[in-house]
Amino acid sequence: MDEILANTVLFAGLRPDAAQSLEQVARRRHAERGEVVFRLGDLGTSMYVITRGRIGMTRPAGADRDSLLAILGPGDLLGELTLFDPAPRKATATALTDLELAEFTEPAVRRWLQEEPDAAWHFLQLLARRVRRINDALENLLHGHIPHRVAGMLLDLAEKFGTPTAEGIRVDHGLTQEQLAHYVGASRESVNKSLSELASRGVVRLEPRCLVILDIDRLTHKANA
């Protein structure tokens, strides 16, 4: 089995033979940087697992402006809700880099579940985790102060895309300042102020479309304060 697929939450906990049979129904898909995987409003009938590259999830936030909802990388799932409730997509998924995906269509997963009925509980757990993440994100957006949200964003980016170095954790996020602000759900000025404050205190070092987390403990404390 593909190593990336084998280590995703989609396959973790499944019996080896059940995981192998699910992997065999996957369709391999390639997208180039800037290509749209699906658009807001498209009828969703597939779930995807990213095996290489990054995807940005966006929604319109005004004239000629999109809001960045999430950045997904290798091992992340997207579109899993539409397997059980086909409906228009709630966001647009765009390749931020060259991209490789494993696509699981609703008919293929339905047939697999008929052969592996015990795996239905596994999918219920996946959906429960999705709901919990949404609730946590909503609570953070409604009640979290911007500096805390910025710190949490940096920790999230570090977990997904960070590379340990002698200095700390290097995060090549590839985002503009405007995209970082959309990701936090705040103005560009307020996010830049929070980032500059972290840099002045030696918690991070800022570079163009990249940063180095110099003190992960202080950043974690800031996010949870």
Side-chain angles (χ1 to χ4, degrees):
M1 184 184 296
D2 186 292
E3 183 177 355
I4 294 292
L5 286 180
N7 291 325
T8 63
V9 294
L10 177 61
F11 287 89
L14 291 175
R15 296 190 331 273
D17 59 330
Q20 187 68 37
S21 62
L22 178 60
E23 193 266 346
Q24 289 174 354
V25 306
R27 297 178 179 175
R28 303 294 174 163
R29 180 171 173 181
H30 174 79
E32 296 183 355
R33 181 178 181 179
E35 186 176 339
V36 173
V37 178
F38 56 76
R39 297 185 184 277
L40 174 73
D42 288 351
L43 182 62
T45 58
S46 294
M47 171 181 66
Y48 300 90
V49 178
I50 301 172
T51 56
R52 184 174 68 87
R54 301 178 189 176
I55 282 179
M57 304 296 295
T58 60
R59 290 192 68 176
D64 301 322
R65 179 172 173 266
D66 287 333
S67 179
L68 181 64
L69 304 177
I71 304 170
L72 306 177
D76 283 332
L77 304 179
L78 61 155
E80 64 267 35
L81 296 181
T82 61
L83 288 181
F84 305 97
D85 183 26
R89 302 287 190 185
K90 298 297 185 182
T92 296
T94 305
L96 299 177
T97 65
D98 287 348
L99 190 67
E100 291 180 1
L101 300 164
E103 179 181 7
F104 299 85
T105 65
E106 185 273 336
V109 174
R110 182 184 294 273
R111 288 193 298 270
W112 177 78
L113 283 173
Q114 290 172 345
E115 298 171 357
E116 301 287 346
D118 292 343
W121 180 253
H122 178 67
F123 272 87
L124 287 174
Q125 290 178 312
L126 292 180
L127 297 179
R129 293 189 190 110
R130 163 64 77 93
V131 172
R132 188 177 295 113
R133 287 197 304 271
I134 292 173
N135 288 341
D136 290 344
L138 181 60
E139 182 178 0
N140 185 51
L141 185 61
L142 292 175
H143 304 295
H145 296 298
I146 291 174
H148 301 165
R149 284 153 52 186
V150 169
M153 171 193 68
L154 298 184
L155 291 173
D156 181 58
L157 292 174
E159 182 180 359
K160 290 177 178 294
F161 311 118
T163 302
T165 69
E167 290 184 289
I169 302 174
R170 183 177 182 84
V171 184
D172 292 296
H173 52 73
L175 301 175
T176 65
Q177 292 181 334
E178 190 73 19
Q179 288 173 320
L180 288 173
H182 292 169
Y183 197 20
V184 173
S187 70
R188 176 177 172 176
E189 292 74 16
S190 59
V191 172
N192 285 347
K193 181 180 178 180
S194 296
L195 288 171
S196 296
E197 180 182 352
L198 290 171
S200 67
R201 295 185 177 183
V203 178
V204 303
R205 187 177 72 243
L206 304 177
E207 299 178 3
R209 301 203 179 199
C210 174
L211 60 90
V212 179
I213 299 175
L214 304 173
D215 193 329
I216 190 70
D217 291 335
R218 289 171 65 192
L219 186 64
T220 302
H221 178 75
K222 183 72 171 180
N224 296 327

